[in-house]
Amino acid sequence: MRLDLKTGAVSRKPLSAMNLEFGIINRCFGARKNRFVYVSIGGLMPKSTGVVKLDLEREGKGECVVAQRVYEEGWFGSEAAFVAKSESESEDDGYVVAFLHEEATGEAGFVVMDAASSDLEIVASVTLPQRVPYGFHGCFLTEEQLRSQRSISSCWMLLGDI
């Protein structure tokens, strides 16, 4: 959806024929016109079956999906996150990360995908001792960002005051 803040007009154009949800961008490029968006491939809620990369410059020219990673059979994920490389110079200069779960065996994992690759190549994966529930929301913080945050009790107090 596009919102024209000057005229108040709202327009809607499909970017893909796929069932997509939970879009993310490289937060280093927030509050700007973005070219790339990474979106979960919708499965049975709240599960996703993979991630796609959309190129918004292709809008109106057909399918905007330019890269796709479908998880292995039986594996499902939740909302992915974008982790920018230090001093990102382009929007896709980083990684898309996701928690995964294999329902038949109970295995759990964490994957790191190259956001700039043509197939969202998995460049690292870790087996986890326990699964992270579907619907888990989070974001990636660098050590510096984490150190600059207020204490957890202050955050809870702020939330309680809203």
Side-chain angles (χ1 to χ4, degrees):
M1 295 184 76
R2 290 198 183 268
L3 307 172
D4 185 324
L5 299 179
K6 291 180 183 172
T7 67
V10 178
S11 60
R12 181 178 175 185
K13 294 180 187 175
L15 301 174
S16 173
M18 300 174 77
N19 176 21
L20 303 175
E21 55 195 4
F22 301 120
I24 55 172
I25 62 168
N26 179 340
R27 291 180 3 169
C28 296
F29 291 82
R32 302 181 206 177
K33 184 176 181 176
N34 292 106
R35 178 176 179 183
F36 299 117
V37 180
Y38 301 86
V39 190
S40 296
I41 302 170
L44 295 173
M45 281 299 282
K47 306 173 198 177
S48 77
T49 58
V51 178
V52 299
K53 176 181 180 179
L54 300 176
D55 182 345
L56 301 179
E57 288 186 357
R58 296 179 54 104
E59 182 181 355
K61 302 172 188 168
E63 186 70 40
C64 291
V65 173
V66 294
Q68 178 174 320
R69 168 61 53 185
V70 175
Y71 304 136
E72 291 181 32
E73 185 73 29
W75 286 85
F76 299 95
S78 192
E79 178 181 1
F82 190 96
V83 179
K85 289 182 182 176
S86 297
E87 301 177 26
S88 288
E89 293 186 13
S90 64
E91 284 184 58
D92 60 356
D93 194 12
Y95 305 96
V96 177
V97 299
F99 291 104
L100 302 181
H101 178 236
E102 208 291 340
E103 294 185 338
T105 65
E107 291 178 79
F110 179 77
V111 293
V112 179
M113 297 168 267
D114 179 357
S117 69
S118 61
D119 61 353
L120 296 175
E121 175 188 6
I122 295 177
V123 295
S125 64
V126 177
T127 300
L128 300 175
Q130 185 173 337
R131 85 180 199 68
V132 176
Y134 300 124
F136 176 78
H137 298 289
C139 65
F140 179 84
L141 298 174
T142 64
E143 184 176 353
E144 180 181 317
Q145 290 169 323
L146 190 58
R147 289 184 189 280
S148 71
Q149 298 299 307
R150 296 181 195 175
S151 71
I152 292 175
S153 60
S154 299
C155 292
W156 284 112
M157 179 132 28
L158 284 173
L159 290 173
D161 292 339
I162 294 176

